């Protein structure tokens, strides 16, 4: 590892001097599995991803691509294309391994940040792991960090990840504040329904926050370990910069690209799980037969099908939705996939830009719903409901919609939850739905899997 990475760094430094611009050095190799693959302590930049059979853990930055504004997706895509085109890579590891990680803000404000980690480990459910080491070579100063030091830090960091988190104890003394208050938020829902009935838009997704003041800062590795165990069927994620980390367990994929195919998910409508088998079956049938829920989910499916049809052949979407059962809630969902017409010009970041925000997190029609939403919510969503994920050197990757999440800042956690408002939405029922969506993260933070209410 050490010698091979050092050689790649030396080649990148020479390329940078000759070209007159920075060059990325990337080394990949297989290593033994790391169990559990969880952050032992936050670094300057921490990224975690656990979805299906893939787990990714990364730390620190070799190169960062911040962006903001309407063109934030295009700016990052173009920067990554330039970096990947001139990159010097080596090693026997899998080229499909993630190389660029991070998250985009929901709106056009600052906060979007994708980066190439200095150290990244990716492993599937079976087989070895892949270790990636990266460095930035400057045309004047050469490689910013010594290759041997980066390799040593990787080994030290991996040694720390094999410490399994201790069983958590229930947290007492937490203070919880609703933002906005329940009555204020129900009034907003009623106003949204009024605009829908007046024909301004057909759907809008309203979010609210829960500020939780804990007696001590949560342990990130322990929190993620809890979410992975308690929320099967979701993507558990964390992205941290400095002292702040955004983490969650989302059921919704935005888009994945692999082998020339793009796949997305239409997810909408929410009902709780039943306390008995009979009750659960009744609620399942109720969700499938609910005209309002079907209408809400169909809006999302139609938008995704149309968006993929513009760049894909053979777009597939089922005529009827299925029920996605999660530990506390269930949703209507449909898989939508298509064969990309021109993989050379359409990568995963192109589709992220095309799809975000879907009607599942913004509204429909998009411009009218988002215009009203900006004035109504009166807070910056930040990374909540934005795309979070990874990209490889071939512009394939996987992005989720950052839901069921919290921003962790010291001993304060700000949780987010939203509801799709359509004609016929009842403010009281929508409020109850936000508590269902707060429950996974709140239970994990308080180490109380019984939930708050």
């Amino acid at each position: 590892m050490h010698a091979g990475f050092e050689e790649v760094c030396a080649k990148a430094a020479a390329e940078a001097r000759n070209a007159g611009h920075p060059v990325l050095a990337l080394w990949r190799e297989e290593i033994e599995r790391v169990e559990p693959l969880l952050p032992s302590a936050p670094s300057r930049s921490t990224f975690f991803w656990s979805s299906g059979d893939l787990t990714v853990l990364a730390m620190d930055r070799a190169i960062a691509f911040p962006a903001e504004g309407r063109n934030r997706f295009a700016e990052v895509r173009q920067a990554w294309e330039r970096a990947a085109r001139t990159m010097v890579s080596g090693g026997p590891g899998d080229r499909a391994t993630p190389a660029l990680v991070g998250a985009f803000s929901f709106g056009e404000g600052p906060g979007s940040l994708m980066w190439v980690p200095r150290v990244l480990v990716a492993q599937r459910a079976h087989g070895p792991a892949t270790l990636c080491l990266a460095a930035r070579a400057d045309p004047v100063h050469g490689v910013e960090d010594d290759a041997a030091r980066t390799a040593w830090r990787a080994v030290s960091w991996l040694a720390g990840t094999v410490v399994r988190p201790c069983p958590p104890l229930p947290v007492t003394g937490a203070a919880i504040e609703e933002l906005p208050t329940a009555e204020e938020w129900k009034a907003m829902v009623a106003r949204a329904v009024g605009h829908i009935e007046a024909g301004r838009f057909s759907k809008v997704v309203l979010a609210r926050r829960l500020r939780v003041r804990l007696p001590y800062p949560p342990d990130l590795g322990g929190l993620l370990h809890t979410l992975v165990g308690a929320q099967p069927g979701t993507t558990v994620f964390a992205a941290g910069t400095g002292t702040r980390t955004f983490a969650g367990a989302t059921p919704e994929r935005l888009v994945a690209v692999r082998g020339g195919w793009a796949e997305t998910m239409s997810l909408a409508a929410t009902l709780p799980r039943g306390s008995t088998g009979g009750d659960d079956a009744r609620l399942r049938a109720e969700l499938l037969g609910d005209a309002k829920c079907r209408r809400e989910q169909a809006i999302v499916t139609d938008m995704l099908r149309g968006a993929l049809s513009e760049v894909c052949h053979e777009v597939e979407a089922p005529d009827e939705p299925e029920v996605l059962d999660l530990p506390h809630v269930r949703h209507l969902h449909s898989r939508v996939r298509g064969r990309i017409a021109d993989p050379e010009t359409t990568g995963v970041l192109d589709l992220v830009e095309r799809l975000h925000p879907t009607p599942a997190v913004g509204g429909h029609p998009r411009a009218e719903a988002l215009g009203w939403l900006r004035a109504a919510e009166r807070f910056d969503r930040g990374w909540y409901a934005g795309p979070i994920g990874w990209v490889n050197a071939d512009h394939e990757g996987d992005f989720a919609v950052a839901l069921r999440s919290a921003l962790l800042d010291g001993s304060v956690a700000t949780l987010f939850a939203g509801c799709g408002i359509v004609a016929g939405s009842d403010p009281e029922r929508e409020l109850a739905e936000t508590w269902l969506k707060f429950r996974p993260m709140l239970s994990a933070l308080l180490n109380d899997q019984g939930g708050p209410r």
Side-chain angles (χ1 to χ4, degrees):
M1 171 177 67
H2 170 196
F5 182 49
E6 199 165 33
E7 182 179 346
V8 166
C9 286
K11 289 181 179 178
E15 290 284 348
R17 286 193 300 271
N18 292 335
H21 59 71
V23 172
L24 177 65
L26 187 69
W27 173 264
R28 310 180 193 90
E29 70 174 72
E30 287 188 355
I31 60 172
E32 293 185 3
R33 293 181 59 80
V34 181
E35 297 289 359
L37 192 58
L38 291 164
S40 56
S43 63
R44 187 166 65 94
S45 296
T46 300
F47 181 85
F48 177 82
W49 174 276
S50 178
S51 180
D53 72 337
L54 177 66
T55 302
V56 178
L57 180 58
M59 76 164 193
D60 289 344
R61 305 178 204 162
I63 298 179
F65 305 120
E68 62 180 278
R70 183 172 299 177
N71 296 322
R72 61 196 183 282
F73 301 104
E75 289 175 9
V76 172
R77 183 184 68 245
Q78 291 162 9
W80 175 235
E81 286 173 351
R82 289 192 297 270
R85 186 170 55 249
T86 61
M87 179 173 67
V88 176
S89 61
D94 185 1
R95 184 179 172 87
T97 301
L100 181 72
V101 302
F104 290 91
S105 59
F106 175 83
E108 297 177 6
S112 298
L113 179 65
M114 299 290 292
W115 68 91
V116 177
R118 288 186 185 275
V119 181
L120 180 147
V121 179
Q123 64 186 25
R124 300 284 176 180
H126 305 285
T130 299
L131 171 66
C132 295
L133 303 178
R136 177 183 181 272
D138 182 82
V140 176
H141 304 291
V143 176
E144 291 181 340
D145 198 4
D146 179 73
R149 186 184 302 116
T150 298
W152 175 83
R153 291 178 68 201
V155 171
S156 301
W157 179 63
L158 286 172
T161 67
V162 300
V163 179
R164 189 174 293 274
C166 295
L169 297 174
V171 175
T172 59
I176 299 177
E177 179 185 8
E178 298 179 54
L179 301 169
T181 66
E183 293 306 315
E184 289 171 336
W185 196 76
K186 286 191 293 183
M188 274 204 308
V189 172
R191 289 198 299 274
V193 171
H195 286 296
I196 290 168
E197 291 173 347
R200 184 169 178 180
F201 39 78
S202 60
K203 177 182 179 180
V204 69
V205 182
L206 276 174
R208 65 193 298 253
R209 297 167 294 167
L210 208 62
R211 182 169 294 153
V212 181
R213 299 185 185 276
L214 300 161
Y216 43 79
D219 171 65
L220 180 59
L223 176 67
L224 296 173
H225 181 71
T226 298
L227 290 172
V228 168
Q231 298 299 319
T234 69
T235 296
V236 176
F237 62 85
T241 58
T243 62
R244 289 155 51 106
T245 301
F246 186 68
T250 177
E252 185 171 353
R253 164 178 276 167
L254 178 62
V255 64
V257 171
R258 185 73 184 268
W261 284 82
E263 182 174 315
T264 182
M265 173 195 285
S266 166
L267 187 81
T270 306
L271 278 184
R273 296 296 301 268
S275 56
T276 66
D279 191 35
D280 201 46
R282 177 185 59 78
L283 288 169
R284 198 173 210 275
E286 181 181 327
L287 181 60
L288 279 169
D290 189 301
K292 169 190 168 292
C293 291
R294 295 287 290 262
R295 186 168 63 252
E296 181 184 347
Q297 198 261 348
I299 289 172
V300 184
T301 304
D302 290 345
M303 176 268 176
L304 294 176
R305 184 191 291 112
L308 286 193
S309 296
E310 295 174 1
V311 293
C312 293
H313 301 311
E314 304 172 32
V315 176
E316 304 167 358
D319 294 330
E320 296 290 323
E322 297 179 347
V323 175
L324 176 65
D325 290 321
L326 297 171
H328 302 303
V329 297
R330 53 169 44 104
H331 307 283
L332 292 176
H333 85 113
S334 302
R335 290 176 57 194
V336 184
R337 66 193 300 262
R339 184 166 59 84
I340 298 173
D342 186 358
E344 293 296 319
T345 60
T346 304
V348 67
L349 289 174
D350 300 277
L351 290 168
V352 168
E353 180 177 22
R354 184 175 292 272
L355 297 179
H356 175 76
T358 72
V361 293
H364 184 77
R366 180 185 287 177
E368 290 78 1
L370 293 180
W372 183 81
L373 196 60
R374 278 189 289 270
E377 277 189 346
R378 292 181 291 184
F379 72 89
D380 184 0
R381 291 187 178 186
W383 283 355
Y384 167 67
I388 186 166
W390 58 268
V391 187
N392 66 21
D394 294 324
H395 306 289
E396 299 176 326
D398 199 352
F399 279 80
V401 183
L403 305 175
R404 317 292 149 84
S405 50
L407 179 64
L408 311 175
D409 190 354
S411 59
V412 177
T414 304
L415 284 63
F416 300 85
C419 293
I421 311 303
V422 296
S425 289
D426 174 64
E428 196 68 49
R429 183 175 174 180
E430 301 299 337
L431 180 70
E433 183 177 317
T434 65
W435 280 101
L436 282 174
K437 293 174 176 178
F438 283 136
R439 183 175 178 180
M441 180 57 74
L442 188 58
S443 297
L445 284 168
L446 301 181
N447 301 319
D448 173 17
Q449 294 310 306
R453 53 185 286 175

